[in-house]
Amino acid sequence: MSEATMTVDKSGERVQRMFGQIADRYDLMNHLLSGGVDIYWRSFTVKQVAPQNDSPILDVCTGTGDLALTYWKAGKKQIPVFGTDFTPEMLERARAKFDKLSSAEKQTTAEVQFQEADTQQLPFDDNMFQIVSVAFGLRNVADTRAGLKEMLRVCEPGGRVAVLEFSNPTMPGLAGGYRWYFKNVLPRLGQLFAKNSEQAYNYLPQSVTEFPCGQELVDIMTECGMINASFIPLTFGIATLYVGEKPSS
């Protein structure tokens, strides 16, 4: 579905308030509702779009920091990683995770710095990061193209943009059953375990259904200035990894 026909409310204030309300149960719900497969999806992303040099890495819409910390580990804890999000409650949990991991280190390691920022207006100079990633957050950005252009702006020439996002499976049999579960069961489970006034787990299937996926999102990435954009469906298309490059010149 094109952005022009979107009906889900993705206003910054609403999304910020909603994720703030579910921050304390966010990780638990992600793992429960995906059967733990979300951990594999992030690991796959880091292997497919692996660090190539010692330039820093940026993870936007970082939430509680799982993808940022996965990149930190992949860089042998020697590459600086930044994580941005505009929900303070999520960032508190991300910082707590890093503090717990880094406190066990005996040698000097690079920092993972988490800071509050809107993906549509990133507080970084041009051409800073070898990788700019986002996991399950791009669909929450009010203006998809603005978010992608900002990610590309701060990416260094020849660097890569990685987008891991939920998508709509197309396999016969699975597609219908998955849509039914996603729209009828998941919201009830989510509201049961992570009660919130914004009905975050009703928002989830709505935002996924209305968000461009597959070739449609690849075309948008290309329109935003990326080259060699491609996508890889994961777990029968329940999630998809998109990768684009910033031109070298």
Side-chain angles (χ1 to χ4, degrees):
M1 183 175 293
S2 68
E3 290 173 279
T5 57
M6 280 188 173
T7 59
V8 65
D9 178 9
K10 296 200 300 180
S11 61
E13 186 175 304
R14 188 241 175 156
V15 171
Q16 187 178 46
R17 185 170 60 244
M18 176 175 62
F19 281 99
Q21 290 178 357
I22 65 171
D24 61 339
R25 295 290 185 94
Y26 182 76
D27 288 340
L28 173 64
M29 293 306 301
N30 275 353
H31 301 332
L32 284 176
L33 296 174
S34 71
V37 183
D38 62 305
I39 299 171
Y40 161 74
W41 292 334
R42 292 186 185 90
S43 176
F44 181 87
T45 297
V46 170
K47 288 177 181 176
Q48 286 291 312
V49 189
Q52 301 293 317
N53 54 54
D54 59 1
S55 295
I57 295 169
L58 171 64
D59 183 50
V60 303
C61 304
T62 196
T64 58
D66 281 345
L67 186 56
L69 293 171
T70 303
Y71 264 116
W72 181 66
K73 294 173 186 175
K76 299 180 180 179
K77 306 174 184 177
Q78 298 302 312
I79 299 174
V81 177
F82 292 75
T84 60
D85 200 285
F86 74 170
T87 304
E89 294 88 347
M90 290 286 192
L91 292 170
E92 287 178 15
R93 284 152 182 82
R95 293 186 186 107
K97 285 182 184 179
F98 175 67
D99 289 344
K100 184 176 181 179
L101 288 171
S102 60
S103 66
E105 298 294 331
K106 292 183 172 59
Q107 72 273 22
T108 302
T109 61
E111 287 287 314
V112 181
Q113 297 184 40
F114 293 105
Q115 63 188 88
E116 189 172 342
D118 186 337
T119 299
Q120 299 168 105
Q121 294 179 307
L122 293 169
F124 303 109
D125 292 335
D126 297 353
N127 309 322
M128 279 190 61
F129 302 99
Q130 61 167 307
I131 296 167
V132 183
S133 66
V134 59
F136 311 115
L138 184 60
R139 73 178 189 283
N140 301 321
V141 176
D143 186 332
T144 302
R145 285 174 173 79
L148 286 170
K149 288 177 180 177
E150 271 293 89
M151 292 173 71
L152 187 64
R153 178 184 68 79
V154 301
C155 187
E156 66 184 16
R160 290 168 294 170
V161 172
V163 177
L164 177 62
E165 190 53 87
F166 286 115
S167 48
N168 299 300
T170 57
M171 179 181 292
L174 173 65
Y178 179 75
R179 281 194 294 269
W180 182 86
Y181 165 80
F182 213 45
K183 292 180 179 180
N184 297 286
V185 178
L186 184 147
R188 289 179 171 83
L189 287 174
Q191 196 66 18
L192 176 65
F193 288 102
K195 291 182 172 61
N196 65 96
S197 63
E198 298 297 321
Q199 302 219 330
Y201 291 92
N202 283 313
Y203 166 88
L204 175 58
Q206 292 172 349
S207 64
V208 171
T209 299
E210 296 186 1
F211 192 71
C213 63
Q215 189 59 46
E216 186 178 359
L217 186 56
V218 165
D219 290 343
I220 293 173
M221 294 169 72
T222 302
E223 291 171 16
C224 291
M226 299 182 203
I227 61 172
N228 301 323
S230 61
F231 69 97
I232 305 172
L234 303 174
T235 316
F236 308 108
I238 293 173
T240 300
L241 172 63
Y242 304 85
V243 183
E245 299 175 18
K246 183 167 183 174
S248 296
S249 59

